[in-house]
């Protein structure tokens, strides 16, 4: 084997005066970046193994540790950056595809940050959510154009709907990509907060059946873990066509993460890579999608709304319109910054479009075709805070999926190494030693706190606008203004510039 | 000055008032003028107007089209349009008198028309829909022309000025109606536009409105899906269309439409029995985008009576009173006492609680 040309990404700085050699760092680091040197009788570090997940820094009892970017200065070059060079060296070593985890980190415009919100002054009183009712309840599902009454004058049943207490759901994350303790934290938090969580394409572990009323079960191209009982176990079904982090390809669970439980839940052999086909092999066109939507509705007696999730790609508006007419009750759109447990780096960083533009285009198109009121629209990828949610709803979304933010609440520090299965926080791993680090009881509280905090913030912002029900914000783009955007961007977003 | 149609949404505060004779007896416009005049300080001279029902008994089966024209050229174009699509039975200037405070009015015209039989049957539309589409067509596509009202046996008289001056200008004391509504306007940032004064109308529906609708952006885009074009840059237009959509096009009972625009709070729904909760929830799920948010009080007038309604947390005033024959509504109690010093009943309806005044023998608006 030739020389490994790769250099460390991070450098671990240990203050030897502070270090008491308790070795907690060594025990906590699944990447083996810390070790005790018996000869020197002190702790040492293997920088090249460090992924900068902060586990050791957080747990070090004497604050002796600092992780920094490795100060390796390539000769200044805007084209051949350090990242580009090290990627090539990695591939020259292995001949493989560059893999990565979590959402697109590249330095492209984030439209949320170029949108500003309105507030009332004088002519219209702002409403104080501490003293007045403020309603965030959100109802997802197919709606008729008008309510109908039977001969006795009683209102006829609507198609099945999901009722959310806040316009937030946990986005699809499979058992396999994340640990059972992470799944339990999300499922129980969803249950207690009146939200939904989503199984991803990992099937439904038996420990999660108690939360079925708050479960969206996903059917993806690999059909992992899909059976009659599974379909009927959730409150809604989602057909996953695509994902923002990797449009055009299927899911990928490395064999390292397929242990006993994952194997049983997914109905695949232990230790095998679970690689979903790029397309659904029964969906080669929009009419095939319609057949699958109705097959799933048949299988569940028309009692559950069916969602179709797609990645935000160039002609997303036309696709969404087709999905609406194919019979979907909910359309979920995942932007190019959406997270993932594992994706090829080149695809994650280069394929797809921003969710803000996709959402605006889809909402406008569905309105032009008088379809918008019939289907619900859910967006994701990425929602980072409550203001992003308010902006998404004002652009036209009914609700959002959050996933990365929920994992951060559980302890994720965004090291982007989910695909290695060595998550030191017990989230994106199946190693029992690591999994038990995440206490689901604490996890539930932390995730609930996040959603509670965000919901309070949404209410404050709504009240400031003089609105006391979320419906009045939906698609209300007059509440938005752009800053530092071109005419074309404003046109696509359907908003005015600040000052107009 | 006549003003021009604004390009952005106009915010305004206001006074509203209404009187219904439940027995259908017609009475002169003098009382409604006295009532709205008492609330002089709630408007700023940039808009006033009245809706009157029952004023054209001799033409009660024809659509009374009240128009504003900026110039004769606009009138000629609309005359041509109306001639092609309608049979015009009467075409005349609406009588006005010189009033010092009223300046530079547009050309104010009225027509009594019937849809052209052949065009109507070719269109495949109901008569009302045919008229509604014509009205929206004129408002959206004919520069310098504005349809003030388009119902049967009713009309709207409005303009830039204090409402009492507008009433005098139109000689409203000479008209007799069984239902009058009135409006005094306090816009914040506009020189005033004759078309922008209230009431707003479509067919028999007229709306006077005090408040600002913070849900306007959502309501407007919802209405566009049902082919309503909101071109007037006011909340009131959107409210008018919402009621037209639900009551006329969707044929919903009035109570259902009210539960859409002023939906009961979810905390109230929890206390309802199953059947009512199901109804309210269904309405909210389907008509969430029709919910009116923000401070408002409105009077929706119709040939059968009126509906008065506050926003659901009562951010604008509204008082109701009754005597033997009449029902009164107004922004202020004093505006009722001014014309009926000792009503039998007088109360402030709660937020979101509809007050429905009907002619005797009519079951619903």
């Amino acid at each position: 084997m030739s020389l490994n040309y790769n250099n460390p990404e991070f450098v671990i700085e240990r203050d030897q005066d502070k270090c008491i050699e308790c070795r907690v760092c060594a025990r906590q680091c699944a990447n083996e970046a810390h070790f005790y040197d018996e000869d020197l009788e002190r702790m040492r570090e293997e920088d090249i193994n460090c992924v900068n997940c902060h586990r050791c820094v957080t747990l070090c009892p004497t604050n002796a540790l600092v992780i920094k970017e490795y100060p390796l200065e390539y000769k200044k070059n805007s084209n051949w950056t350090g990242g580009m060079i090290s990627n090539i060296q990695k591939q020259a070593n292995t001949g493989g595809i560059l893999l990565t985890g979590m959402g697109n980190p590249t330095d492209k415009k984030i439209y949320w940050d170029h949108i500003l919100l309105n507030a009332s002054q004088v002519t219209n009183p702002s409403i104080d959510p501490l003293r007045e009712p403020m309603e965030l309840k959100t109802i997802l599902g197919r709606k008729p154009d008008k309510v109908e009454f039977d001969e006795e004058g009683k209102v006829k049943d609507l198609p099945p709907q999901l009722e959310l207490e806040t316009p937030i759901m946990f986005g699809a994350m499979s058992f396999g990509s994340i640990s059972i303790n992470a799944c339990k934290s999300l499922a129980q938090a969803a249950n207690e907060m009146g939200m939904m969580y989503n199984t991803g394409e990992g099937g439904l572990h038996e420990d999660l059946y108690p939360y079925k009323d708050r479960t969206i079960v996903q059917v993806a191209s690999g059909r992992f873990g899909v059976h009659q009982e599974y379909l009927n176990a959730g409150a809604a079904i989602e057909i996953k066509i695509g994902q923002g982090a990797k449009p055009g390809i299927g899911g990928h669970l490395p064999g390292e993460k397929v242990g006993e439980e994952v194997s049983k839940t997914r109905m695949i052999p232990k230790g095998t890579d679970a690689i979903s086909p790029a397309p659904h092999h029964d969906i080669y066109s929009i009419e095939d999608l319609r057949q699958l939507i109705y097959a799933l509705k048949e299988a569940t007696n028309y009692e559950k709304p069916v969602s179709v999730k797609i990645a935000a790609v160039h002609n997303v508006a036309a696709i969404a319109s087709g999905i609406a007419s194919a019979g979907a009750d909910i359309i979920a759109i995942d932007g190019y910054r959406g997270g993932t447990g594992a994706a090829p780096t080149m695809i994650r960083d280069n394929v797809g479009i921003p969710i803000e533009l996709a959402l605006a285009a889809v909402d406008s198109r569905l309105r032009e075709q008088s379809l918008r009121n019939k289907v619900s629209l859910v967006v994701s990828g990425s929602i980072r805070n409550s203001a992003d949610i308010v902006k998404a709803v004002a652009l036209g979304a009914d609700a959002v999926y959050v996933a990365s933010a929920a994992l951060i609440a559980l302890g994720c520090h965004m090291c982007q190494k989910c695909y290695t299965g060595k998550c030191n926080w017990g989230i994106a791993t199946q190693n029992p030693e690591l999994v038990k680090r995440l206490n689901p009881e604490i996890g539930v509280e932390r995730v609930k706190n996040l959603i509670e905090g965000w919901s309070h913030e949404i209410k404050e912002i709504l009240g400031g606008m003089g609105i006391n029900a979320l419906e009045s914000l939906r698609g209300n783009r007059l509440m938005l203004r752009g800053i530092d955007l071109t005419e074309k961007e404003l046109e696509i977003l359907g908003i005015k510039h600040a000052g107009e | 000055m006549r003003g021009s149609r604004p390009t952005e949404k106009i915010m305004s505060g206001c006074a509203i008032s209404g009187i219904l004779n439940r027995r259908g007896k017609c009475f002169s416009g003098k009382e409604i003028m006295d009532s709205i005049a008492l609330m002089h300080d709630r408007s700023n001279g940039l808009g006033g107007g009245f809706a009157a029902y029952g004023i054209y008994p001799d033409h009660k089966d024809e659509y009374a089209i009240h128009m504003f024209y900026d110039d004769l050229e606009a009138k000629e174009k609309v005359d041509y349009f109306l001639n092609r699509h309608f049979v015009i039975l009467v075409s005349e200037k609406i009588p006005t008198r010189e009033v010092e405070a009223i300046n530079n009015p547009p050309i104010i015209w009225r027509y009594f028309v019937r849809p052209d039989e052949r065009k109507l049957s070719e269109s495949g539309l109901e008569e009302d829909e045919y008229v509604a589409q014509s009205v929206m067509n004129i408002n959206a596509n004919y520069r310098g022309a504005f349809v003030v009202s388009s119902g049967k046996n009713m009309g709207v008289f409005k303009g830039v000025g204090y409402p009492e001056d507008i009433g005098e200008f139109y000689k409203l004391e000479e008209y007799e109606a069984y239902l009058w509504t009135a409006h005094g306007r306090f816009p914040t940032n506009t020189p005033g536009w004759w078309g922008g004064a209230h009431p707003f109308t479509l067919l028999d529906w007229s709306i006077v409105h005090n408040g600002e609708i913070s849900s306007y952006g959502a309501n407007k885009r919802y209405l566009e899906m049902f082919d309503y074009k909101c071109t007037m840059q006011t909340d009131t237009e959107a409210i008018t269309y919402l009621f037209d959509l639900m009551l006329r096009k969707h044929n919903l009972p009035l109570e259902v439409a009210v539960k859409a625009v002023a939906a009961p709070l979810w905390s109230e729904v929890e206390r309802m029995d199953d059947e009512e909760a199901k109804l309210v929830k269904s309405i909210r799920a389907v008509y969430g985008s029709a919910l009116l948010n923000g401070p408002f009080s409105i009077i929706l007038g119709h040939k059968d009576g009126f509906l008065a309604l506050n926003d659901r947390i009562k951010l604008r005033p509204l008082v109701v009173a009754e005597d033997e024959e009449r029902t009164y509504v107004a922004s202020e109690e004093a505006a009722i006492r001014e014309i009926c010093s000792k009503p039998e009943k007088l109360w402030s309806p709660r937020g979101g609680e509809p007050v429905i005044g009907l002619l005797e023998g009519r079951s619903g608006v």
Side-chain angles (χ1 to χ4, degrees), chain A residues 297-341:
Chain A
K297 289 188 177 194
E298 283 287 335
T300 52
N301 202 24
Y302 292 85
E303 285 164 358
K304 297 171 199 303
V306 173
S307 164
V308 175
K309 177 181 173 182
I310 54 168
V313 290
H314 298 179
N315 47 350
V316 64
I319 298 167
S321 151
I323 292 171
S325 20
D329 304 303
I330 300 166
I331 303 174
I333 304 173
D334 195 19
Y336 84 141
R337 285 184 185 278
T340 177

Side-chain angles (χ1 to χ4, degrees), chain A residues 52-74:
Chain A
N52 195 13
C53 74
H54 292 177
R55 180 76 185 177
C56 57
V57 176
T58 310
L59 268 74
C60 177
T62 60
N63 297 321
L65 292 168
V66 174
I67 314 281
K68 289 185 175 166
E69 268 190 56
Y70 199 84
L72 181 73
E73 298 278 348
Y74 288 97

Side-chain angles (χ1 to χ4, degrees), chain A residues 164-480:
Chain A
L164 311 176
E165 295 305 321
T166 189
I168 310 171
M169 303 191 285
F170 297 127
M173 288 177 283
S174 67
F175 170 53
S177 75
I178 60 171
S179 66
I180 190 64
N181 284 354
C183 290
K184 280 183 195 165
S185 303
L186 297 174
Q188 198 181 325
N191 196 39
E192 291 178 24
M193 298 296 291
M195 307 160 57
M196 304 298 293
Y197 82 100
N198 188 312
T199 63
E201 51 180 314
L204 190 62
H205 190 277
E206 57 189 22
D207 289 358
L208 299 174
Y209 273 79
Y211 310 110
K212 62 193 180 62
D213 292 345
R214 292 292 165 186
T215 305
I216 297 177
V217 295
Q218 208 177 55
V219 173
S221 59
R223 298 288 196 270
F224 299 122
V226 176
H227 46 80
Q228 177 79 22
E229 194 191 352
Y230 169 77
L231 292 177
N232 280 290
I237 302 171
E238 182 167 274
I239 300 171
K240 178 200 172 186
I241 300 293
Q243 182 177 347
K246 40 186 168 180
I249 65 172
H252 181 182
L253 183 68
E256 288 84 350
K257 290 169 94 171
V258 183
E260 184 73 45
E261 293 293 309
V262 174
S263 143
K264 217 163 69 185
T265 310
R266 292 213 179 198
M267 308 189 298
I268 56 169
K270 229 170 110 176
T272 54
D273 283 356
I275 299 182
S276 302
H280 285 247
H281 281 299
D282 52 1
I283 304 178
Y284 285 8
S285 67
I286 191 78
E287 59 271 25
D288 291 346
L289 174 67
R290 184 179 176 83
Q291 287 199 2
L292 181 59
I293 291 171
Y294 280 92
L296 293 172
K297 289 188 177 194
E298 283 287 335
T300 52
N301 202 24
Y302 292 85
E303 285 164 358
K304 297 171 199 303
V306 173
S307 164
V308 175
K309 177 181 173 182
I310 54 168
V313 290
H314 298 179
N315 47 350
V316 64
I319 298 167
S321 151
I323 292 171
S325 20
D329 304 303
I330 300 166
I331 303 174
I333 304 173
D334 195 19
Y336 84 141
R337 285 184 185 278
T340 177
T345 312
M346 288 304 117
I347 289 183
R348 184 195 68 175
D349 294 353
N350 293 287
V351 182
I353 64 170
I355 190 59
E356 302 90 324
L357 302 179
L359 163 60
V362 167
D363 178 71
S364 297
R365 179 70 62 91
L366 292 177
R367 283 171 191 273
E368 276 164 29
Q369 302 180 345
S370 297
L371 291 167
R372 178 63 189 88
N373 209 46
K374 295 184 169 70
V375 290
S376 297
L377 199 52
V378 177
V379 299
S380 55
S382 77
I383 302 292
R384 305 159 302 164
N385 53 46
S386 59
D388 288 354
I389 299 175
V390 172
K391 292 169 190 176
V393 172
L395 280 176
D398 287 280
V400 301
Y401 272 136
V402 302
S404 297
L407 296 191
I408 293 171
L410 289 176
C412 165
H413 280 57
M414 268 297 151
C415 74
Q416 307 178 27
K417 291 285 188 287
C418 327
Y419 59 96
T420 64
K422 291 182 183 171
C423 176
N424 280 320
W425 295 94
I427 300 166
T429 179
Q430 300 302 326
N431 176 341
E433 288 303 308
L434 300 177
V435 171
K436 73 180 182 195
R437 292 180 185 177
L438 176 61
N439 178 338
E441 280 172 29
I442 296 171
V444 169
E445 288 310 312
R446 293 186 60 84
V447 174
K448 273 169 58 185
N449 283 342
L450 174 73
I451 300 303
E452 223 156 71
W454 282 11
S455 300
H456 280 308
E457 288 172 344
I458 295 171
K459 289 179 178 181
E460 289 286 346
I461 297 172
L462 278 185
M465 292 173 173
I467 285 176
N468 63 10
L470 195 72
E471 292 100 316
S472 299
L473 179 68
R474 196 186 310 129
N476 192 344
R477 297 189 190 172
L478 293 178
M479 291 296 172
L480 304 175

Side-chain angles (χ1 to χ4, degrees), chain B residues 119-353:
Chain B
K119 291 257 174 174
L120 178 64
S121 81
E122 278 173 5
S123 72
L125 299 171
E126 300 276 333
E127 195 177 57
D128 275 352
E129 180 63 18
Y130 181 89
V131 176
Q133 287 191 11
S134 302
V135 167
M136 270 185 276
N137 183 7
I138 294 172
N139 282 341
N141 301 322
Y142 286 74
R143 259 181 86 90
F146 177 78
V147 181
V148 180
S149 62
S150 53
K152 288 179 178 171
N153 199 14
M154 62 82 73
V156 161
F157 306 89
K158 65 183 187 179
V160 174
Y162 282 100
E164 58 272 25
D165 296 330
I166 291 288
E168 197 188 341
F169 172 74
Y170 281 107
K171 307 183 185 183
L172 290 188
E173 72 283 355
E174 293 177 8
Y175 291 86
E176 294 208 324
Y178 55 84
L179 169 63
W180 287 93
T181 65
H183 187 261
R185 188 161 183 245
F186 197 142
T188 46
N189 63 347
T190 164
W193 170 50
W194 278 67
H198 297 201
F200 268 88
T201 64
L202 184 65
L203 301 169
D204 285 336
W205 308 110
S206 70
I207 290 214
V208 289
H209 160 221
N210 170 18
E212 186 190 339
I213 304 298
S214 43
S215 56
Y216 174 78
N219 303 140
K220 171 181 183 282
R221 296 185 75 219
Y222 172 68
L223 285 163
E224 283 167 358
M225 284 192 283
F226 297 94
D227 296 329
Y228 290 92
K229 299 183 195 94
C230 296
T231 55
M232 305 297 150
Q233 306 293 350
T234 86
D235 304 327
T236 316
E237 179 191 27
I239 300 173
T240 312
Y241 295 162
L242 283 173
F243 277 106
D244 185 64
L245 172 72
M246 291 188 286
L247 297 178
R248 183 172 64 86
K249 285 196 178 166
H250 289 178
N251 206 15
L252 299 178
L254 183 62
E255 310 83 82
V256 171
V258 166
K259 285 192 172 79
V261 298
L265 294 166
W266 287 116
S267 56
E268 293 170 42
V269 177
E270 280 167 21
R271 296 193 294 271
M272 291 174 181
D273 63 51
D274 288 353
E275 196 172 314
E276 197 187 357
K278 181 183 167 191
L279 172 69
V280 170
K281 215 180 240 188
S282 304
I283 295 168
R284 187 89 181 253
V286 175
Y287 293 101
S289 299
L291 176 66
L292 293 174
N293 227 301
F296 70 84
S297 53
I298 55 172
I299 307 171
L300 170 70
H302 186 250
K303 65 178 184 335
D304 295 330
F306 73 85
L307 160 75
L309 185 68
N310 258 147
D311 64 274
R312 50 197 201 137
I313 54 174
K314 196 144 177 131
L315 295 171
R316 282 286 194 270
L318 186 70
V319 182
V320 186
E322 266 181 17
D323 64 15
E324 198 186 342
E325 287 197 334
R326 295 184 183 186
T327 308
Y328 306 85
V329 277
S331 299
E332 294 180 13
E333 182 178 333
I336 296 175
R337 299 249 183 221
E338 177 74 2
I339 49 174
C340 168
S341 57
K342 290 203 175 71
E344 288 166 14
K345 254 170 58 181
L346 184 142
W347 74 100
S348 262
R350 286 188 310 158
E353 176 189 303

